[in-house]
Amino acid sequence: MDARVMRVEGGRPLEGAVAVRGAKNLAPKAMVASLLGRTPSVLTNVPAIRDVEVVSGLLGIHGVAVEWDDAGGMIRLDPANVDSAKIADISLHAGSSRIPILLCGPLLHRLGEAFIPNLGGCAIGGRPINYHLEILRRFGAHVDKEPDGMKLTAPEGLRGTQIELEYPSVGATEQTLLTAVLAEGITELRGAAVEPEILDLVAVLQKMGAIISTETDRVIRIEGVDSLYGFTHTAMPDRIEAASWAAAALATSGSITVLGARQPDMMTFLNYFRKIGGAFEVSDEGIRFFRANGELSSIALETGVHPGFMTDWQQPIVVALTQAEGLSIIHETVYEQRFGFTTALRRMGATIQLYPNCLGGLPCRFGAKNYQHSAVVSGPTPLRAAEIDIPDLRGGFSHVIAALAASGTSSIRGIELIDRGYEHFAEKLAALGARTWRE
Ligand code: EPU
């Protein structure tokens, strides 16, 4: 069976309940943190997704004993025998993910050297790593670019430092945390990202014995310690997956209970969801999402770093906005090329125009650079089935939502990109009454 094409029969509301697993953007990073401990770590609520597989593989070849208990999504990581890996084995992971760059600090602490494969990740912009390299150099690492990746050494060890990020990058903040906790002395990070996934990583590191204080105005202070031990932690739920199902309920006029979704992590999303015409009921088990009274309203929104509207919520919500009355304006300020998925939506009947200007908000980093990073959606427009090639993870999920809301049967190619970030995706769709099958 070719698992890469999914056929989706649209036109029926999604109804029922799905459970979100642990956050894609936390679990692999907590796994990386296990390298810093002297004793084993246990992480539960781990999603069975590509980034987790990649990190398991990379940890495994560096001598970490990785044991899975699939039933509970539990992983046990024993770093007792960490050792250098063969470059040929590391290179097998080239192009697979962006997470490997976060192994730099932990491997330098453990081994005095690290080799990082060339990175992968979704094509949603240039995705440079200049902040990461600058941070590692400030800690005292030497970085050499090689054909298959990057070689790092730290002949004099890693020392705490002062870092000021020009943009609150999630990855750069994580790089700093994972390196600073065992670096000698104090590190002060200004301009840090403060996403809930980052605070969950701080919680993991604190359980390991790290001393980290998150202060006001995006300042994080880390006092390096001599050694860390293992952690036991349950990964926070995936608030991006939760929002994707919420948008699917809006777009298909359905009712979806997202078990495990947590209101505090989704405050900003919930405000916009309500303004568009969505309603939600919060309970101890999760959040039920549905339309308030049938009609959806247009809105203006701008994506941004936490506590703003997440860039990863943007694509699914755009699909719902194709069904809203009037003109919606969306200004994407995190990634310069995150509207690629709208090409397919237009073929399905949506009216969406892209603009290089910063529409409806303050000028952002991309304003003068000719990136099509603002969109105007005019609705409501009925959607019809199409043949679609998935461009990236979140864009792909949005295409599936659009296909579920459309009349007819769509054919979606590249479905493995969705499997990369959404566990048991097809099973969850089936539980909501969707008719999909793989060919
Ligand atoms: N940036 C630089 N230089 C750097 C690093 C980042 O210019 O060295 C720029 C990026 O190009 C981008 C902005 O800073 O324009 C923000 O990037 P950030 O570093 O915050 O993103 P990331 O760590 O690479 C994580 C998530 C993304 C999520 C963003 C923003 C993971 C594995 N990925 O990426 O998730 O969109 O934070 O919240 O945690 C996804 O889940 O589909 C996804 C893309």
Side-chain angles (χ1 to χ4, degrees):
M1 187 175 72
D2 180 1
R4 292 183 297 178
V5 176
M6 180 183 257
R7 305 261 291 164
V8 178
E9 190 183 305
R12 64 182 62 238
L14 295 187
E15 310 264 356
V18 284
V20 276
R21 253 293 173 65
K24 162 186 168 289
N25 291 346
L26 177 275
K29 299 158 189 182
M31 291 168 66
V32 172
S34 74
L35 265 178
L36 295 161
R38 288 197 171 162
T39 52
S41 292
V42 175
L43 185 66
T44 49
N45 206 23
V46 184
I49 55 168
R50 179 91 181 111
D51 279 345
V52 165
E53 254 175 50
V54 170
V55 177
S56 296
L58 279 169
L59 293 179
I61 59 175
H62 283 93
V64 177
V66 181
E67 275 173 48
W68 264 101
D69 170 8
D70 275 343
M74 185 172 85
I75 193 163
R76 184 174 183 279
L77 303 152
D78 185 348
N81 298 312
V82 168
D83 205 348
S84 298
K86 292 196 194 96
I87 291 186
D89 291 341
I90 298 173
S91 299
L92 290 177
H93 295 279
S96 55
S97 162
R98 294 191 62 75
I99 312 283
I101 198 163
L102 296 178
L103 272 86
C104 293
L107 286 177
L108 283 172
H109 282 302
R110 284 300 296 253
L111 303 168
E113 60 172 18
F115 189 86
I116 304 300
N118 291 321
L119 302 180
C122 289
I124 50 183
R127 308 202 78 178
I129 54 167
N130 54 324
Y131 301 162
H132 294 259
L133 301 184
E134 172 64 19
I135 289 165
L136 289 160
R137 289 190 177 113
R138 276 180 176 262
F139 278 106
H142 295 194
V143 185
D144 291 306
K145 184 80 195 85
E146 297 195 357
D148 293 341
M150 231 165 46
K151 171 129 181 84
L152 294 101
T153 48
E156 284 141 40
L158 298 169
R159 289 174 311 280
T161 183
Q162 303 272 318
I163 297 164
E164 175 135 25
L165 294 177
E166 65 179 45
Y167 185 81
S169 150
V170 168
T173 301
E174 293 160 343
Q175 184 73 265
T176 306
L177 287 167
L178 289 164
T179 309
V181 283
L182 282 182
E184 191 190 325
I186 291 175
T187 297
E188 191 174 80
L189 174 65
R190 298 188 163 269
V194 290
E195 269 63 7
E197 292 78 7
I198 287 182
L199 300 183
D200 212 28
L201 182 63
V202 169
V204 167
L205 293 167
Q206 192 179 47
K207 284 177 176 176
M208 298 177 80
I211 300 178
I212 303 171
S213 52
T214 51
E215 301 176 2
T216 46
D217 294 335
R218 300 191 177 278
V219 176
I220 301 184
R221 215 177 118 88
I222 305 120
E223 288 178 43
V225 294
D226 289 340
S227 67
L228 295 169
Y229 32 90
F231 63 83
T232 298
H233 190 74
T234 300
M236 65 172 281
D238 197 308
R239 64 200 175 109
I240 306 175
E241 181 185 359
S244 306
W245 293 120
L250 270 196
T252 66
S253 280
S255 162
I256 302 182
T257 301
V258 184
L259 301 168
R262 286 197 316 207
Q263 184 185 13
D265 304 331
M266 299 184 69
M267 289 283 187
T268 306
F269 178 84
L270 294 171
N271 287 336
Y272 281 95
F273 189 80
R274 181 170 274 157
K275 285 195 220 173
I276 296 170
F280 53 89
E281 287 166 3
V282 181
S283 71
D284 289 346
E285 283 74 44
I287 307 179
R288 180 168 86 88
F289 297 95
F290 50 101
R291 286 193 186 194
N293 49 29
E295 298 294 299
L296 299 185
S297 313
S298 52
I299 45 156
L301 81 77
E302 183 169 89
T303 65
V305 294
H306 188 76
F309 190 94
M310 285 187 93
T311 171
D312 306 283
W313 292 333
Q314 180 257 101
Q315 299 87 339
I317 220 67
V318 162
V319 178
L321 289 174
T322 66
Q323 304 309 303
E325 181 70 45
L327 290 183
S328 293
I329 298 172
I330 301 101
H331 181 204
E332 169 62 57
T333 74
V334 181
Y335 289 111
E336 62 273 35
Q337 288 166 17
R338 220 170 186 183
F339 282 120
F341 72 104
T342 58
T343 309
L345 295 186
R346 274 197 294 276
R347 278 198 286 113
M348 298 176 81
T351 306
I352 303 176
Q353 299 277 5
L354 301 185
Y355 297 88
N357 323 57
C358 299
L359 292 185
L362 295 171
C364 76
R365 298 172 294 151
F366 310 135
K369 297 192 180 151
N370 242 350
Y371 293 116
Q372 304 277 17
H373 71 293
S374 290
V376 175
V377 183
S378 169
T381 46
L383 298 177
R384 52 181 184 273
E387 289 201 358
I388 301 164
D389 281 304
I390 286 182
D392 63 75
L393 170 65
R394 308 294 171 195
F397 191 98
S398 306
H399 290 152
V400 175
I401 297 176
L404 290 162
S407 56
T409 301
S410 297
S411 192
I412 304 185
R413 257 191 310 274
I415 208 79
E416 69 278 3
L417 269 173
I418 301 188
D419 290 332
R420 171 194 178 115
Y422 294 91
E423 186 189 50
H424 304 317
F425 174 60
E427 291 86 335
K428 288 182 181 177
L429 284 175
L432 295 172
R435 293 208 181 146
T436 70
W437 61 99
R438 297 195 182 203
E439 306 190 313

